[in-house]
Amino acid sequence: MTSMVEHGVDAGSAHATGREREVIAAVAEITTEAITDTKLEDLLSLVGQKLCALLGVTRCSVYLRHANGSYRGAAGFCQEAGDITEAVKRQVSGFDGDLFSQEVINTRAPVVIADALNDPRPHRRTMTHWDVRAMLGVPLTFLSELSAKPVVLYNNSFDVLAWSAPDALKLTAPPVMSEKVRATASVRQALAELSVSTPSAIVPAQLAVGLGRRHLMCRMVIEGKQTGFLGIVEVGRSLEALDANIAERGATVLALQMLSERRQIETEGQARDDYLSDLLRNSRDKEHLVRRGPQFGIDLTNPHVLVRFAVDDATDRLTASAIQSLVTRTFASVMSISPPPAVRLPGAVIVMVRLESDDLDEVGHVRDHVSTIRDRLSGDLSLGATLISGICRTPVDYPHAHRDLREMGSVAKSFGWDERVMTLDELGLFRVIVSSGHVKEALHFAHSFVAPVRQHDDGTLLATWRAFVAADGKVQATASALDVHENTIRYRLGRIKEIARRDPTSLDCLLSAKMAFQVLDLAGQ
């Protein structure tokens, strides 16, 4: 691929750091565009636009090599006219009379023409038609191989991310730069001084006893941040001047690749977050949601639950995306799954968890995992109550589950359930009370219902009544739970009937007691 920029270059006097930021920003925009569904000519036109801005030129035309060896116009941009792709597509370069393009192609190096109208190398009619006064031709090619030596990619902590070596060397492990070498004062200084003006350095500069082989190190920078090192190791052959060019260009290519991968992950993650938001808000039709789900790893034909972590926005130091990522990574670690879909909302993180089976026992297993996850997150996040929805089986279940979680989240905050992990099924009839808005009345009812027994008891009768209700009114199960004789339970139930003036074994009283004890338990009273 060849790019030609025309009509004079204004080098300017911008500081190197400012220029670097401009280049990185341009590359980031181009890379982001490249990983979407952009047409090739639109992408190349954007490249031309950025080149014009960075180099201070009027026009940029991009030519692609075809199978027959000719170079045809593919895209173009002009500062005055904007996109000139259609006009450039009618152009051909590299033909017999175009000595300028042939020189760029043959030398594979930039070629500058200061006086395009009088220089014999460019095609005169083309120069006249486009009113070209000065021109720069650049071959946009990449090195196909790095070096006949081992290459090691490190992160900032010098952990090995990847490595490669010629087969002839028969290496079974990466020839890393040892901690002893990195601790040497001269090596530390050389690595610290790597910059735009000093992109690479050989360390140690001279071979010394105990320091082993030499490494040509190049600093990698992505979006202005130092992200690691690329090293070429002196094994088999001595380091040469060419290796510095290889390392520097290789570092640039790898940085662009890593940036592209990062942008792709961010783009895909944002798309999945948007999908989950649509699902929770019920803003899309059912068929659309079911059809799009698999592209995000979500099969809505499987049962799921929603997990709501209340997060204090005011005290957490992490960004919203960092909080969401921390939560999903912890889910993946604890449950041995891929990071689940999640969305960060004001005051909460909602996570969508797939169930292995459609039953309450599976929800119980998820609850156990969530308790472990919450314990791990509590050291990094300021968490409130953690709630788990009922089972969602169809797309229409998710908006209802989300609404229930939001309502119960507000209640949990008002009751101070900050340390709890609860399923909505555990709340039972209390959810009906919440939806009706009569929480205070429910608390008054619960206290009034048990008050007579509480006032005439040392706690034994009230504990028996709670156990009896929990055992669904079964005397034998209650006796077993309390480790007493069944007749003891019958005697105590009789005392409760006498004091409260209601039969604790009747269905109506069982339901009322269940409600009262649940309200008191949830209120922590």
Side-chain angles (χ1 to χ4, degrees), residues 453-464 492 499:
V453 176
R454 178 179 283 167
Q455 293 168 2
H456 293 81
D457 180 36
D458 61 359
T460 302
L461 292 181
L462 202 59
T464 301
R492 292 176 181 175
I499 295 171

Side-chain angles (χ1 to χ4, degrees), residues 492-509:
R492 292 176 181 175
L493 291 175
R495 285 286 296 142
I496 292 171
K497 181 179 180 180
E498 179 182 340
I499 295 171
R501 299 181 180 234
R502 55 171 57 96
D503 184 0
T505 64
S506 68
L507 179 60
D508 180 66
C509 188

Side-chain angles (χ1 to χ4, degrees), residues 14 81 127 154 190 195 288 299 332 342 385 407 414 517:
M127 300 299 101
Y154 303 91
S195 62
H288 174 86
D299 185 352
E407 291 177 351
S414 64
F517 287 132

Side-chain angles (χ1 to χ4, degrees), residues 71-375:
Y71 285 78
R72 295 186 175 274
F77 179 83
C78 175
Q79 283 187 337
E80 295 181 356
D83 191 333
I84 56 171
T85 295
E86 292 305 317
V88 172
K89 280 184 175 181
R90 295 192 289 269
Q91 305 298 317
V92 178
S93 68
F95 50 85
D96 291 340
D98 185 6
L99 301 179
F100 168 72
S101 297
Q102 289 182 3
E103 184 176 347
V104 174
I105 296 165
N106 293 334
T107 63
R108 304 175 70 84
V111 176
V112 178
I113 292 182
D115 185 0
L117 294 177
N118 296 312
D119 195 294
R121 288 173 292 178
H123 188 247
R124 186 172 299 280
R125 187 165 55 187
T126 302
M127 300 299 101
T128 302
H129 174 75
W130 289 98
D131 189 25
V132 178
R133 291 176 288 169
M135 185 160 57
L136 166 66
V138 182
L140 303 182
T141 59
F142 294 96
L143 296 171
S144 60
E145 298 179 356
L146 285 177
S147 174
K149 303 178 186 69
V151 178
V152 184
L153 180 63
Y154 303 91
N155 63 14
N156 279 331
S157 301
F158 282 93
D159 300 317
V160 176
L161 301 178
W163 71 285
S164 178
D167 293 338
L169 296 179
K170 298 181 180 179
L171 295 179
T172 58
V176 299
M177 184 166 56
S178 68
E179 185 176 354
K180 178 181 179 181
V181 172
R182 300 199 308 270
T184 305
S186 60
V187 173
R188 287 204 314 268
Q189 182 178 354
L191 294 176
E193 291 177 350
L194 292 178
S195 62
V196 174
S197 58
T198 308
S200 62
I202 295 178
V203 293
Q206 300 294 331
L207 289 176
V209 176
L211 295 184
R213 10 176 119 86
R214 296 191 303 167
H215 301 251
L216 191 148
M217 302 298 292
C218 185
R219 167 70 76 176
M220 293 183 59
V221 177
I222 299 179
E223 294 186 316
K225 296 181 179 180
Q226 298 176 353
T227 56
F229 298 88
L230 179 68
I232 296 181
V233 190
E234 194 171 48
V235 178
R237 296 172 56 183
S238 299
L239 290 171
E240 305 169 359
L242 177 63
D243 291 323
N245 290 329
I246 291 174
E248 293 165 14
R249 284 157 179 75
T252 300
V253 172
L254 285 173
L256 289 174
Q257 181 179 348
M258 293 169 69
L259 177 61
S260 175
E261 292 172 353
R262 180 185 299 176
R263 286 284 189 258
Q264 185 170 1
I265 291 172
E266 291 173 353
T267 300
E268 292 174 352
Q270 184 60 52
R272 189 166 74 161
D273 291 351
D274 292 343
Y275 172 83
L276 182 55
S277 296
D278 288 340
L279 182 63
L280 300 183
R281 294 197 308 266
N282 196 27
S283 57
R284 298 278 186 172
D285 62 85
K286 175 181 176 181
E287 291 73 17
H288 174 86
L289 292 169
V290 173
R291 185 174 64 253
R292 287 194 64 208
Q295 75 183 79
F296 304 114
I298 300 173
D299 185 352
L300 292 182
T301 63
N302 291 318
H304 293 78
V305 292
L306 300 177
V307 182
R308 184 185 190 274
F309 291 88
V311 181
D312 189 346
D313 293 324
T315 58
D316 287 312
R317 302 178 304 277
L318 302 175
T319 63
S321 59
I323 292 173
Q324 179 178 321
S325 177
L326 176 61
V327 172
T328 55
R329 288 200 314 270
T330 308
F331 263 90
S333 174
V334 171
M335 299 185 67
S336 299
I337 59 175
S338 299
V343 62
R344 178 75 166 100
L345 301 174
V349 176
I350 309 295
V351 183
M352 182 180 183
V353 182
R354 176 181 171 179
L355 301 180
E356 295 299 324
S357 59
D358 188 0
D359 57 57
L360 293 179
D361 288 340
E362 180 64 17
V363 177
H365 293 153
V366 171
R367 187 187 189 282
D368 293 339
H369 285 306
V370 171
S371 295
T372 302
I373 292 167
R374 192 189 188 286
D375 289 341

